[in-house]
Amino acid sequence: MSNPTSIVPKRLLDEISPSLQREVDFFLKWGYLIVDNALTERQLRDVTSAFEDCIGNKDREFTHQLIEEDERFDCLLENPPIIQRMKAILGNCLQLHSATARVTRPGAPDQPWHRDGPWPVSPEGTPFGSLPGQINCAYYLDELTAENGPLVILPGSQRAPFHPPAGHVEFGDQKLVFATPGQAVIFDGWLFHRGGANVSKTDRRVCLLCYQNAWMKSRENFDSPRIKKLREEGSPERQLLLGGITSW
Ligand SMILES: O=C(O)CCC(=O)C(=O)O
């Protein structure tokens, strides 16, 4: 694959509205954002039925190649309410880090606290301004409850210069996120987070689309058949998102 520089955005950041700026400020401070109406009813129906066909009835917990699974997941790739916020936070040079789906079956225990990457953090970043920058976007397809397991986060922990504790101890200022289908929860990959135990009788399903700057290494290798086709036929933005620039 050659590197088509024509797909590189002309500007790193666009002007943003005062209300979007408030969301960016909230995200930078607390490390998460809840986006209402992130999916239309139609998109939610399509994604949920694709999830059931591909993963729900199968004997597996994850797919790490969500976009490869079914075209009904394509709407998650460049979903305007999410991409608009990702660009306002990360800038216009966006690339997909990974697209995953996870099903937490009845009886699954609490996840341990974790961050999504191994890189160290300093609250101020480096003098040059770099921080590990990877933002996850979780679309829960089932309403999160105390029974099926909320998303548990520790707001502000994305800048903590230490790793999360082992296990799933309770923090006094942790937050339980009871997301509803159609919402999206955007969170900094370095935020301490974990999924709660599922003590209900039904599956708990989530799609996780993770974004980063296009100059970072991704987890997706972007060479599977559907991804290649989507990239070849896609807009410059989609080409960049799907790894159109392979090396510098
Ligand atoms: O299941 C959840 O709510 C969070 C999933 C998660 O953090 C992960 O898969 O790394």
Side-chain angles (χ1 to χ4, degrees):
M1 207 184 341
S2 60
N3 277 331
T5 48
S6 60
I7 69 174
V8 174
K10 301 282 175 286
R11 287 162 59 96
L12 186 56
L13 276 171
D14 293 326
E15 303 278 322
I16 61 172
S17 67
S19 70
L20 188 50
Q21 185 61 52
R22 281 193 290 278
E23 292 189 61
V24 172
D25 294 343
F26 182 94
F27 179 86
L28 293 178
K29 181 165 184 185
W30 299 114
Y32 76 99
L33 209 52
I34 296 175
V35 181
D36 289 327
N37 303 314
L39 292 177
T40 63
E41 285 183 16
R42 172 75 198 268
Q43 287 171 328
L44 180 60
R45 262 200 318 276
D46 283 352
V47 169
T48 306
S49 61
F51 197 113
E52 272 318 279
D53 293 346
C54 300
I55 307 144
N57 302 321
K58 309 246 162 55
D59 190 19
R60 56 180 175 159
E61 189 186 351
F62 287 104
T63 172
H64 289 299
Q65 285 204 306
L66 185 66
I67 301 304
E68 206 54 33
E69 297 273 352
D70 192 293
E71 65 185 14
R72 286 169 288 178
F73 293 120
D74 291 356
C75 65
L76 301 179
L77 258 185
E78 292 151 294
N79 184 17
I82 301 308
I83 290 294
Q84 179 201 31
R85 288 169 173 88
M86 291 293 168
K87 286 183 170 174
I89 299 167
L90 284 172
N92 292 330
C93 300
L94 278 186
Q95 174 185 272
L96 193 68
H97 165 266
S98 54
T100 303
R102 177 172 195 159
V103 53
T104 307
R105 309 278 183 198
D110 280 290
Q111 292 169 25
W113 287 108
H114 60 280
R115 282 176 160 158
D116 287 336
W119 308 110
V121 174
S122 158
E124 294 82 28
T126 65
F128 196 55
S130 37
L131 279 167
Q134 176 181 307
I135 304 180
N136 226 323
C137 176
Y139 299 91
Y140 292 93
L141 305 181
D142 305 285
E143 181 170 0
L144 296 187
T145 64
E147 286 71 41
N148 68 7
L151 170 67
V152 191
I153 59 174
L154 186 63
S157 58
Q158 75 278 10
R159 296 286 167 265
F162 44 83
H163 294 295
H168 47 87
V169 293
E170 292 209 0
F171 286 96
D173 43 7
Q174 69 185 27
K175 179 179 169 66
L176 307 185
V177 181
F178 294 104
T180 56
Q183 284 183 327
V185 186
I186 291 178
F187 58 95
D188 186 316
W190 271 255
L191 187 74
F192 293 5
H193 64 279
R194 61 185 182 84
N198 185 354
V199 296
S200 80
K201 293 188 164 44
T202 53
D203 289 346
R204 170 192 186 275
R205 300 163 296 177
V206 63
C207 295
L208 296 152
L209 278 278
C210 188
Y211 299 86
Q212 61 185 20
N213 287 129
W215 46 82
M216 286 173 68
K217 290 178 190 159
S218 62
R219 191 176 74 201
E220 291 278 338
N221 55 20
F222 303 116
D223 62 359
S224 51
R226 283 206 77 247
I227 293 263
K228 271 190 188 161
K229 187 160 186 302
L230 286 169
R231 183 175 57 240
E232 277 158 22
E233 294 172 359
S235 63
E237 182 172 289
R238 176 168 283 191
Q239 291 176 45
L240 191 67
L241 201 58
L242 297 179
I245 304 280
T246 54
S247 60
W248 301 113

